Amino acid sequence: MTRLLLLVFVLSLHADEGMWTFNNFPSEKVRAKYGFSPSKEWLDHVRLASVRLAEGCSASLVSPNGLVLTNHHCAANCIQEVSTAEKDYSAKGYQAKSGSEEIRCPGQEANILDSISNVTDRITAATKGMPDKAANDARKAEIAKLEKECATTDAMRCEVISLYGGGIYDLYRYRRYQDVRLVFAPEFAAAFFGGDPDNFMFPRYDLDMSMLRIYDNGQPLKTPQYFPISRSGPKAGDLTFVSGNPGGTDRQHTVAMLEHERDFVQPHLLYHFSEYRGLLTMFQTRGEEQRRVSQDELFGVENTLKAIKGQEESLLQKNFFEQKRKEEREFQQRIQANPKLRAEYGKVWDDVTEAVKQLHTNYLAYIYFERNWGFRSDSYRQARRLLRMAEEYPKPNEKRLTEYADARKPELSQLMLSTAPISAELEIETLTFSLTKLREVFSVDDPRIKQIFGKQSPREIATAAVNGTQLRDVAVRKSLMEGGKQAVDASKDPMIALARLVDPIARAVRTKYEDEAESALTRAREKLAKARFAAYGSSLYPDATFTLRLSYGQVKGWSENGTPVAPFTIFGGAFERATGRAPYALPQSWLDAQSKLNLQTPFNFVSTNDIIGGNSGSPVLNQDAQVVGLIFDGNIHSLGGNYGFDESVNRAVAVDTTAILEALEKVYGAERVLSELTLK
Amino acid sequence: MTRLLLLVFVLSLHADEGMWTFNNFPSEKVRAKYGFSPSKEWLDHVRLASVRLAEGCSASLVSPNGLVLTNHHCAANCIQEVSTAEKDYSAKGYQAKSGSEEIRCPGQEANILDSISNVTDRITAATKGMPDKAANDARKAEIAKLEKECATTDAMRCEVISLYGGGIYDLYRYRRYQDVRLVFAPEFAAAFFGGDPDNFMFPRYDLDMSMLRIYDNGQPLKTPQYFPISRSGPKAGDLTFVSGNPGGTDRQHTVAMLEHERDFVQPHLLYHFSEYRGLLTMFQTRGEEQRRVSQDELFGVENTLKAIKGQEESLLQKNFFEQKRKEEREFQQRIQANPKLRAEYGKVWDDVTEAVKQLHTNYLAYIYFERNWGFRSDSYRQARRLLRMAEEYPKPNEKRLTEYADARKPELSQLMLSTAPISAELEIETLTFSLTKLREVFSVDDPRIKQIFGKQSPREIATAAVNGTQLRDVAVRKSLMEGGKQAVDASKDPMIALARLVDPIARAVRTKYEDEAESALTRAREKLAKARFAAYGSSLYPDATFTLRLSYGQVKGWSENGTPVAPFTIFGGAFERATGRAPYALPQSWLDAQSKLNLQTPFNFVSTNDIIGGNSGSPVLNQDAQVVGLIFDGNIHSLGGNYGFDESVNRAVAVDTTAILEALEKVYGAERVLSELTLK
């Protein structure tokens, strides 16, 4: 019995655990504990006012004119991309004084979830009776087909989602908006006060917010379904809902999968990113402009590192792991106790273990060659996309690499045509680093490495490719993309040449990975999911999949080694914590406004809502579906939430809407958005 | 039953395992397997011609005039310290054309082991019946006393060594030589051909050698006991001895200790050094001089990282760890089976486990505050030494911090008065990095961090202290050292001020660590050692302790996943592997000499000798006590040797003396040393 199931069954009336799908929300459980039962209308409204930011965040509509509230760190990539050395909106913040000053984000896409439909039968039928490898290919082909049938125009985004590890396949249809513009952002120093040291910590003092606007046909989108902002924020004990897109959890992993994560995947990732972090940190000492262009990359690396470290520490806790073992034994006993179930599912854990062995064998080659860990460079990624578009698009939709299917074309086009600047100086360093790691991991004696490097050093390859490429120029990319295979084949661009050299290797690695590891693992997990339904029924929530989920909980502190942690911080705390030095330097705007601010204003708060990375930017809603807070983090204990939820200490961390309104008014004089937010 | 014991008992006639002390060498076992039994005279001769380099390496005397053969990487610190931007002996190599050109190494000390005497009774008597903490203090006091009694002059170095984890205490008396001079070094590119990628790998092509000379009273030391160099090197299957100073192994660790290493100590170290590596790598891109001054530091970090990664991978192998568990269970069963042993030792594993918990709690504070992980800076370390000398020297010898005891004064003086240059630019970066990690590990809310940082950033503290300090000037240090407490107290040097601020914190952390963790662990391990003697007798070898050991074995390849690896490489292989780019760029001298060289000359070879870090520079001897090789590395499997020896794959890697002589003659025209080496 897995931990989550244990909680579902034993504590079903008490625990706030669960990232629930909107079509299987346990309203009755919420009513039993909190006296409020979300109705179908309530759920539909919340779904339609919730926004997914396709780069990896959540958000919400907060006005009828497409105004979107999300985190600063969810817009940080955009903010850096539309900044220059002279106009650094990350350092100085940004406020559009009129609609015409709202700046389009080069890489942002907003999705609103229109409908969910179950397509399990189609997938099951397509793969029935096939061996693993053939089933894997057939499954992908059927998914490509389903998504294409659904996405009748580029304005629709359709994704088949594997839920419960393959127990159910649902088709999610979104409205897709690629014209998303920056409306308001505070200074990075206010949004990320405390920096990496305070990340995943609480008490906390961050105005981690920004505002975007969705445009359609060049006009602000009409959004009658939106959340009003609460002027008073939440109180301790209040029931809260979080509607957002948790990126992924591994709560249903078997012990063999968890061991693979703990002993192999995570350690490698931690060494790799630790070194990369050191490198980027030192790169920043080259000068102010180098600091600026690498800021978002460094943030991402540090954020990942801290999150993975927290996860790894959970897995290394003996009690935690022993509990996972125990739950697995109980689950196995249920299956073994029933002859029919035993016959059908008795060996599924062995299947998973066998598949994990294949995963282990193929993992590093897959991430370094195919997922570009060996080629950290935006222009390299562009080069490879051009190469693969040229090669894949002429094939039938169902035969292509998944990400080149017809339904995915709009994302690819957006990526190709993004006007985000690329720093050649940074690219040389990141590509040199990653090529060095590639050679280190596979050794100079690996024939693939010999083929890629010849007698050249990593720095020589990187410098020649980065300095020689034209691909930083969007017009060049556009022309190559439109020119198709002929144009790409004819190109002498050195970055394309590098990608051309690597791509057959990467494709071979991918095929091997998919045929040997992914196919067996997917099949085994589907079976495991069915075993779980058979043993425990279906009133469960699936692991997170970066799709819309609803969690419920309440505003509540916790006890840290016996010391109570209060659920709220106040503005005054930020001024007390400030040192005047990054990352504890409040921006000048705050120092100037200090005397005007009500220092007792609630600033950040924690709640028991079950969230994880990807939930950043989610609205915290009260039962009237008003926004009372803005999720931007979890506490340090929440990192173990990747593997299991512990309500006693796991907490979501949010900005209080009272703080947002107070800062918009008194620090930023942001009349324009304020009047839009509070027009009700 | 621990793994090593299993091998001793079951495989006693077969395995080449063991780093044997010279007073307990298993000559009979060697005779049984190889037909040669080292006599007492042979052992004495080998001991007296063996050299320990106190910075952490091994070496040997190879002429009657104090000429010492060791690795390039054992002299690399010295080579960097006597180089300048204009005279870069690391890049260009070095050859003293006459005695007057032999350059004194600022930090090198050579030790020759004069005698070993058992002092277990003295330690036992001093601690008898005491509780752990009092015993810990008494043990240290008795050791200080013993060492002082022994070291009647600064020319003697005396160290009490805890063997078998405290089962035996032996007093090692060395002749100490601090005047060690650089005679010959090839280029770094030849010595470390293949760099970090090839480190711990085989096949290999490195001329990792250098020559030093021991001076006494300004004259080359007379060394009638020395090893002649073999002109023909070894052959496959030859019996080989390695006499050197393996730094440390953990083969007698209990499972609880191994888990602590695997799950806590090593991961933290790997993250920390991975980040530091990235930082140093990028620092090197600032320019040629920055590359030069950080080269040895980066080498050390990469070497440590690769070694620890290899160790961690062994521990993560399920079979390996399961074997450790099994051996422990068998050991426990032997103890439990005998009522007397059970009464005396039955609970010792629980004692260790309890002590490891205390270690866990205290570990990070101890390494960051007391062992200066938070303060990576040579001038900081100098400042703290000055501070502590001033404070400790007035106390009675037995009451001081261990490293300030009278018998240790010569090492401290040498460190204080070293003329090694310190790069301010590098110091600012390393100190900024380490202060940042310090704050990250303990958090800004830790009162100790608040006290050290106030409102300053890590970079502000580092820049002010490094730019403001006078301690890079050896004359300033000398005057402060000689001025004692009064002079140090009066100093306004900002680095001393920083150390003064930190030292009370560091001392408190150390006291807590020693009282809570070290004392209990030392006591428990002493008991465990006695239990082991009781269960298995005393014909065992102790874990390595950076003292002189002798291992035996033979020149022999191994099978890598079914493919045989031949035991020798040849010169020609280096030219084939060369790319012209670091780390695969052969120096010009080699390219120029290529046509003169016999490319069939054996270059590097492997043997089954049981070695570990610290053995670098050890001579490989034949049964006539001639040097046939020079240990410089182990293969990748040898890294697991920290926890257990596996003769099927663990290999020592050495330079063949044939290669040394051929290169000295044909590449370097090193007539002077050649005639000295081959004068017999």
Side-chain angles (χ1 to χ4, degrees):
Chain A
M1 190 190 229
T2 68
R3 187 156 192 263
L4 85 93
L5 294 162
L6 188 76
L7 289 167
V8 169
F9 281 82
V10 178
L11 303 172
S12 57
L13 291 178
H14 303 296
D16 294 339
E17 174 172 352
M19 302 165 175
W20 299 90
T21 49
F22 273 69
N23 52 352
N24 191 28
F25 188 77
S27 289
E28 188 45 39
K29 280 175 61 184
V30 180
R31 194 203 51 72
K33 181 164 177 187
Y34 292 105
F36 169 74
S37 171
S39 62
K40 166 132 191 359
E41 293 66 36
W42 191 95
L43 289 169
D44 286 346
H45 169 60
V46 167
R47 171 171 57 77
L48 292 167
S50 296
V51 173
R52 183 175 79 161
L53 297 175
E55 279 184 324
C57 273
S58 300
S60 62
L61 291 161
V62 288
S63 92
N65 297 308
L67 191 65
V68 166
L69 177 66
T70 187
N71 294 143
H72 185 278
H73 77 265
C74 292
N77 199 16
C78 166
I79 294 168
Q80 183 177 310
E81 288 172 356
V82 300
S83 291
T84 60
E86 295 71 36
K87 293 185 175 179
D88 184 352
Y89 303 134
S90 176
K92 305 213 184 305
Y94 186 74
Q95 247 191 85
K97 298 291 184 200
S98 66
S100 64
E101 288 189 2
E102 297 181 356
I103 315 174
R104 184 163 176 173
C105 291
Q108 201 61 275
E109 176 183 298
N111 301 140
I112 298 173
L113 181 57
D114 222 40
S115 71
I116 303 174
S117 45
N118 190 322
V119 295
T120 314
D121 290 348
R122 287 268 304 259
I123 304 287
T124 307
T127 59
K128 192 159 188 147
M130 289 180 176
D132 292 351
K133 179 185 149 11
N136 203 38
D137 293 341
R139 190 184 299 110
K140 286 181 183 183
E142 190 63 21
I143 288 172
K145 211 169 147 192
L146 278 160
E147 291 180 355
K148 185 173 182 174
E149 287 167 16
C150 161
T152 48
T153 76
D154 285 356
M156 289 294 167
R157 178 166 179 150
C158 295
E159 291 173 358
V160 173
I161 311 296
S162 160
L163 295 164
Y164 305 94
I168 289 177
Y169 289 89
D170 273 356
L171 177 65
Y172 276 56
R173 192 179 69 190
Y174 302 92
R175 279 177 279 145
R176 180 205 299 270
Y177 302 97
Q178 292 193 330
D179 187 353
V180 178
R181 304 190 190 178
L182 181 64
V183 177
F184 174 86
E187 307 87 342
F188 178 75
F192 197 42
F193 181 76
D196 180 68
D198 280 11
N199 199 9
F200 297 110
M201 296 297 187
F202 194 83
R204 195 71 171 283
Y205 312 88
D206 284 11
L207 192 74
D208 191 352
M209 65 156 292
S210 68
M211 292 194 167
L212 307 171
R213 193 186 304 281
I214 300 177
Y215 279 69
D216 194 27
N217 290 317
Q219 293 300 317
L221 181 68
K222 294 293 162 208
T223 48
Q225 305 268 14
Y226 72 93
F227 301 122
I229 299 251
S230 160
R231 287 191 166 277
S232 55
K235 292 185 306 299
D238 276 5
L239 167 63
T240 49
F241 295 91
V242 171
S243 172
N245 301 271
T249 51
D250 299 326
R251 295 181 187 175
Q252 295 172 357
H253 268 22
T254 70
V255 167
M257 292 163 81
L258 291 172
E259 285 175 343
H260 180 245
E261 290 281 311
R262 183 192 65 187
D263 297 342
F264 184 71
V265 174
Q266 311 263 40
H268 189 87
L269 190 151
L270 287 166
Y271 312 151
H272 182 97
F273 280 110
S274 290
E275 188 174 343
Y276 191 39
R277 179 193 193 182
L279 188 123
L280 289 172
T281 304
M282 187 59 84
F283 179 81
Q284 295 210 323
T285 68
R286 286 190 184 175
E288 184 46 38
E289 179 60 0
Q290 285 89 345
R291 192 203 56 69
R292 190 184 73 76
V293 300
S294 59
Q295 178 178 286
D296 197 51
E297 182 76 359
L298 179 57
F299 164 77
V301 168
E302 292 189 332
N303 191 54
T304 300
L305 266 176
K306 203 161 181 179
I308 304 289
K309 257 186 216 174
Q311 290 174 17
E312 182 73 354
E313 277 165 22
S314 307
L315 290 179
L316 287 172
Q317 276 176 35
K318 281 191 162 185
N319 294 346
F320 186 88
F321 212 86
E322 206 33 68
Q323 178 66 17
K324 284 283 178 191
R325 281 189 213 283
K326 194 177 148 205
E327 289 161 6
E328 184 161 297
R329 276 194 303 270
E330 286 174 18
F331 184 7
Q332 286 168 338
Q333 280 158 12
R334 285 200 183 208
I335 298 297
Q336 295 298 339
N338 176 326
K340 188 159 166 283
L341 294 182
R342 184 172 65 233
E344 196 145 354
Y345 303 117
K347 291 200 190 312
V348 65
W349 286 271
D350 296 342
D351 295 349
V352 172
T353 302
E354 201 45 53
V356 167
K357 273 186 203 155
Q358 293 301 326
L359 191 63
H360 181 94
T361 307
N362 284 282
Y363 182 76
L364 289 179
Y366 179 67
I367 62 171
Y368 275 86
F369 289 106
E370 172 62 16
R371 301 296 295 268
N372 292 332
W373 280 45
F375 309 90
R376 291 194 180 279
S377 147
D378 286 334
S379 39
Y380 179 85
R381 281 186 282 266
Q382 297 287 28
R384 198 176 77 170
R385 266 184 219 119
L386 281 169
L387 215 63
R388 290 192 167 178
M389 282 171 150
E391 205 157 328
E392 295 295 311
Y393 282 173
K395 299 181 188 169
N397 184 42
E398 291 84 7
K399 297 279 185 195
R400 296 181 204 153
L401 297 177
T402 315
E403 64 276 24
Y404 294 86
D406 282 328
R408 307 291 174 92
K409 281 185 170 176
E411 295 104 279
L412 276 180
S413 290
Q414 189 188 30
L415 281 170
M416 282 314 316
L417 303 179
S418 164
T419 55
I422 297 174
S423 159
E425 183 180 353
L426 180 58
E427 292 253 298
I428 289 175
E429 298 306 333
T430 59
L431 188 52
T432 298
F433 165 73
S434 54
L435 286 167
T436 305
K437 292 303 104 180
L438 179 76
R439 189 173 71 173
E440 179 179 309
V441 169
F442 298 96
S443 99
V444 290
D445 300 309
D446 186 307
R448 299 169 296 191
I449 298 298
K450 284 185 180 165
Q451 202 185 329
I452 293 169
F453 285 79
K455 292 200 177 261
Q456 294 180 95
S457 71
R459 185 166 291 276
E460 281 176 318
I461 296 175
T463 307
V466 172
N467 285 339
T469 188
Q470 304 284 312
L471 295 184
R472 287 190 294 281
D473 181 344
V474 66
V476 172
R477 297 199 300 268
K478 187 162 191 280
S479 125
L480 282 163
M481 186 170 85
E482 291 169 358
K485 186 159 170 51
Q486 204 175 354
V488 173
D489 282 354
S491 167
K492 302 221 177 317
D493 190 285
M495 195 62 86
I496 292 183
L498 176 61
R500 201 181 277 133
L501 178 66
V502 175
D503 205 44
I505 299 171
R507 283 177 176 266
V509 160
R510 177 172 175 159
T511 301
K512 188 165 174 295
Y513 170 85
E514 290 180 350
D515 289 355
E516 294 180 0
E518 183 190 83
S519 59
L521 194 59
T522 306
R523 183 49 85 68
R525 293 185 71 185
E526 280 181 354
K527 213 165 163 182
L528 192 71
K530 282 172 187 146
R532 189 174 278 117
F533 289 142
Y536 298 107
S538 61
S539 60
L540 315 169
Y541 66 92
D543 262 325
T545 45
F546 195 46
T547 52
L548 194 64
R549 303 292 179 90
L550 190 63
S551 80
Y552 63 95
Q554 61 181 316
V555 177
K556 192 178 176 183
W558 77 96
S559 170
E560 186 71 41
N561 297 326
T563 308
V565 179
F568 287 94
T569 62
I570 57 172
F571 272 167
F575 289 95
E576 279 171 30
R577 197 167 181 77
T579 64
R581 280 77 164 175
Y584 296 98
L586 284 170
Q588 194 58 43
S589 62
W590 282 66
L591 302 176
D592 292 345
Q594 184 172 2
S595 62
K596 287 180 284 178
L597 284 170
N598 174 4
L599 295 179
Q600 297 301 315
T601 307
F603 197 168
N604 293 168
F605 68 89
V606 290
S607 72
T608 60
N609 293 83
D610 187 3
I611 62 155
I612 203 129
N615 267 117
S616 284
S618 300
V620 183
L621 304 169
N622 61 20
Q623 62 190 66
D624 299 327
Q626 293 176 319
V627 183
V628 295
L630 171 64
I631 294 291
F632 72 99
D633 208 357
N635 69 354
I636 198 79
H637 307 291
S638 75
L639 293 168
N642 190 49
Y643 305 107
F645 183 77
D646 179 353
E647 193 188 298
S648 68
V649 290
N650 287 30
R651 289 295 178 275
V653 182
V655 192
D656 194 301
T657 49
T658 329
I660 293 176
L661 296 175
E662 175 87 355
L664 286 176
E665 183 188 342
K666 297 190 182 158
V667 180
Y668 299 103
E671 300 303 333
R672 186 167 166 261
V673 290
L674 270 174
S675 65
E676 187 171 347
L677 284 177
T678 54
L679 78 179
K680 264 202 176 174
Chain B
M1 188 189 227
T2 68
R3 185 154 191 262
L4 83 95
L5 294 162
L6 188 78
L7 289 168
V8 169
F9 281 81
V10 178
L11 304 173
S12 56
L13 292 179
H14 303 294
D16 294 339
E17 174 172 351
M19 302 165 175
W20 299 91
T21 50
F22 273 70
N23 53 352
N24 192 28
F25 188 77
S27 290
E28 189 43 41
K29 280 175 60 184
V30 180
R31 195 203 52 70
K33 181 165 178 185
Y34 291 105
F36 169 73
S37 170
S39 64
K40 168 137 191 355
E41 292 67 34
W42 191 95
L43 290 169
D44 285 346
H45 169 61
V46 168
R47 171 171 57 79
L48 291 167
S50 297
V51 173
R52 183 176 79 162
L53 297 176
E55 279 183 324
C57 272
S58 300
S60 63
L61 291 160
V62 287
S63 94
N65 297 308
L67 191 66
V68 167
L69 176 66
T70 188
N71 294 142
H72 185 279
H73 78 264
C74 292
N77 200 15
C78 166
I79 295 167
Q80 183 176 310
E81 287 172 356
V82 301
S83 291
T84 60
E86 296 71 36
K87 294 186 174 179
D88 185 352
Y89 302 135
S90 177
K92 307 214 183 302
Y94 186 73
Q95 247 191 86
K97 299 289 182 199
S98 66
S100 64
E101 287 189 2
E102 296 181 355
I103 314 174
R104 185 163 177 173
C105 291
Q108 201 61 277
E109 176 183 298
N111 301 140
I112 297 173
L113 181 57
D114 222 41
S115 72
I116 303 173
S117 44
N118 188 321
V119 295
T120 314
D121 290 349
R122 286 268 305 259
I123 304 287
T124 308
T127 59
K128 189 156 191 154
M130 289 179 177
D132 292 351
K133 176 183 148 16
N136 204 38
D137 293 342
R139 190 183 300 110
K140 286 181 183 183
E142 191 64 21
I143 287 172
K145 210 170 147 189
L146 279 160
E147 291 179 354
K148 185 173 182 175
E149 287 168 16
C150 160
T152 48
T153 75
D154 285 356
M156 291 294 167
R157 178 166 179 151
C158 296
E159 290 173 359
V160 172
I161 310 296
S162 161
L163 296 164
Y164 306 94
I168 289 177
Y169 288 90
D170 274 355
L171 178 64
Y172 275 56
R173 192 179 68 192
Y174 302 91
R175 279 178 279 145
R176 178 205 300 269
Y177 302 98
Q178 291 194 331
D179 186 353
V180 177
R181 304 190 191 179
L182 180 63
V183 177
F184 174 86
E187 306 88 342
F188 178 76
F192 197 43
F193 182 75
D196 180 69
D198 279 13
N199 200 10
F200 297 110
M201 296 297 188
F202 193 85
R204 194 69 172 284
Y205 312 89
D206 282 12
L207 192 74
D208 192 353
M209 64 155 293
S210 68
M211 293 194 165
L212 307 171
R213 192 187 305 281
I214 300 178
Y215 278 70
D216 194 26
N217 289 316
Q219 294 300 316
L221 182 68
K222 295 291 162 210
T223 48
Q225 305 267 14
Y226 72 94
F227 300 123
I229 299 251
S230 159
R231 287 190 166 277
S232 55
K235 292 187 304 299
D238 277 3
L239 167 63
T240 49
F241 295 92
V242 171
S243 172
N245 301 272
T249 50
D250 299 327
R251 295 180 186 176
Q252 295 172 357
H253 268 22
T254 68
V255 167
M257 291 162 82
L258 291 173
E259 285 175 342
H260 180 245
E261 291 282 311
R262 183 191 65 188
D263 298 341
F264 183 70
V265 174
Q266 311 263 41
H268 189 87
L269 191 151
L270 288 166
Y271 312 151
H272 181 98
F273 280 109
S274 291
E275 188 173 342
Y276 191 39
R277 178 192 195 183
L279 187 124
L280 288 171
T281 305
M282 187 58 82
F283 178 81
Q284 296 209 322
T285 68
R286 285 190 185 176
E288 185 45 41
E289 180 59 2
Q290 286 89 344
R291 192 202 56 69
R292 192 184 71 77
V293 300
S294 59
Q295 179 178 284
D296 198 52
E297 182 76 359
L298 179 57
F299 164 76
V301 168
E302 291 189 333
N303 191 54
T304 300
L305 267 176
K306 203 160 181 181
I308 304 288
K309 258 188 218 175
Q311 292 175 17
E312 183 72 354
E313 278 165 21
S314 307
L315 290 179
L316 287 172
Q317 277 176 33
K318 280 190 163 186
N319 293 346
F320 186 88
F321 212 87
E322 206 34 67
Q323 178 66 17
K324 285 281 178 189
R325 280 190 215 281
K326 194 177 147 204
E327 289 161 7
E328 183 161 297
R329 276 194 302 270
E330 286 174 17
F331 184 7
Q332 286 167 338
Q333 280 159 10
R334 285 201 182 208
I335 297 297
Q336 296 298 337
N338 176 325
K340 189 160 165 285
L341 295 182
R342 184 173 66 233
E344 198 144 352
Y345 303 117
K347 291 200 190 311
V348 65
W349 286 273
D350 296 342
D351 295 349
V352 172
T353 302
E354 201 45 50
V356 167
K357 274 187 202 156
Q358 293 301 325
L359 191 63
H360 182 95
T361 307
N362 284 282
Y363 182 76
L364 289 179
Y366 180 67
I367 61 171
Y368 275 86
F369 288 106
E370 172 62 16
R371 302 297 293 268
N372 292 331
W373 280 43
F375 308 91
R376 292 195 180 276
S377 146
D378 287 334
S379 40
Y380 179 85
R381 280 186 282 267
Q382 296 288 27
R384 197 176 77 170
R385 266 182 219 119
L386 282 169
L387 214 63
R388 290 193 169 179
M389 282 172 151
E391 205 158 327
E392 294 296 313
Y393 283 172
K395 297 181 188 169
N397 184 42
E398 293 83 7
K399 297 280 187 193
R400 296 181 204 151
L401 297 176
T402 315
E403 64 276 24
Y404 292 88
D406 282 329
R408 308 290 174 94
K409 281 185 170 177
E411 295 104 280
L412 276 180
S413 290
Q414 189 188 28
L415 282 170
M416 281 313 317
L417 303 179
S418 164
T419 55
I422 297 173
S423 159
E425 183 180 354
L426 180 58
E427 293 253 299
I428 289 174
E429 298 305 334
T430 60
L431 189 52
T432 299
F433 165 72
S434 54
L435 287 167
T436 305
K437 292 302 105 180
L438 179 76
R439 189 173 71 174
E440 179 178 310
V441 169
F442 298 96
S443 99
V444 290
D445 301 308
D446 186 307
R448 299 169 296 190
I449 299 298
K450 283 185 179 165
Q451 201 184 328
I452 293 168
F453 285 79
K455 292 201 177 256
Q456 295 179 95
S457 71
R459 185 167 292 275
E460 282 176 316
I461 295 175
T463 307
V466 172
N467 286 339
T469 188
Q470 304 283 312
L471 295 184
R472 288 190 295 278
D473 182 344
V474 65
V476 171
R477 296 200 299 268
K478 186 161 191 282
S479 126
L480 283 164
M481 187 170 85
E482 291 169 356
K485 186 160 168 51
Q486 206 175 354
V488 173
D489 282 354
S491 168
K492 301 220 178 319
D493 189 284
M495 196 61 87
I496 293 183
L498 177 61
R500 201 182 278 134
L501 177 66
V502 175
D503 204 45
I505 298 171
R507 283 178 176 266
V509 160
R510 176 172 176 159
T511 302
K512 189 167 173 294
Y513 171 84
E514 290 181 349
D515 290 353
E516 293 179 0
E518 183 189 83
S519 59
L521 194 59
T522 306
R523 184 48 86 67
R525 293 185 70 185
E526 280 182 353
K527 214 166 161 182
L528 192 70
K530 284 174 186 144
R532 189 174 277 116
F533 289 142
Y536 299 107
S538 61
S539 60
L540 316 168
Y541 66 91
D543 262 325
T545 46
F546 194 46
T547 52
L548 195 64
R549 303 292 178 90
L550 191 62
S551 80
Y552 63 95
Q554 60 181 317
V555 177
K556 191 178 176 183
W558 78 96
S559 170
E560 185 72 41
N561 297 324
T563 307
V565 179
F568 287 93
T569 62
I570 57 172
F571 271 167
F575 290 95
E576 279 171 29
R577 197 167 181 77
T579 63
R581 278 79 166 175
Y584 296 98
L586 284 170
Q588 194 58 42
S589 62
W590 283 64
L591 302 177
D592 293 344
Q594 184 172 3
S595 61
K596 287 181 284 178
L597 284 170
N598 173 3
L599 295 180
Q600 297 303 315
T601 307
F603 197 168
N604 293 167
F605 68 89
V606 289
S607 72
T608 60
N609 294 84
D610 187 4
I611 61 155
I612 203 129
N615 266 117
S616 284
S618 300
V620 182
L621 304 169
N622 61 21
Q623 62 190 65
D624 300 327
Q626 292 175 319
V627 183
V628 295
L630 171 63
I631 294 291
F632 72 99
D633 207 358
N635 70 353
I636 198 79
H637 307 292
S638 75
L639 294 169
N642 191 50
Y643 304 108
F645 183 78
D646 180 354
E647 192 187 299
S648 69
V649 290
N650 287 30
R651 289 296 178 273
V653 182
V655 191
D656 195 301
T657 49
T658 331
I660 293 177
L661 296 175
E662 175 88 355
L664 285 176
E665 182 187 343
K666 297 190 182 157
V667 180
Y668 298 104
E671 301 302 335
R672 186 167 166 261
V673 290
L674 270 174
S675 66
E676 187 172 346
L677 283 177
T678 54
L679 81 178
K680 265 207 174 170

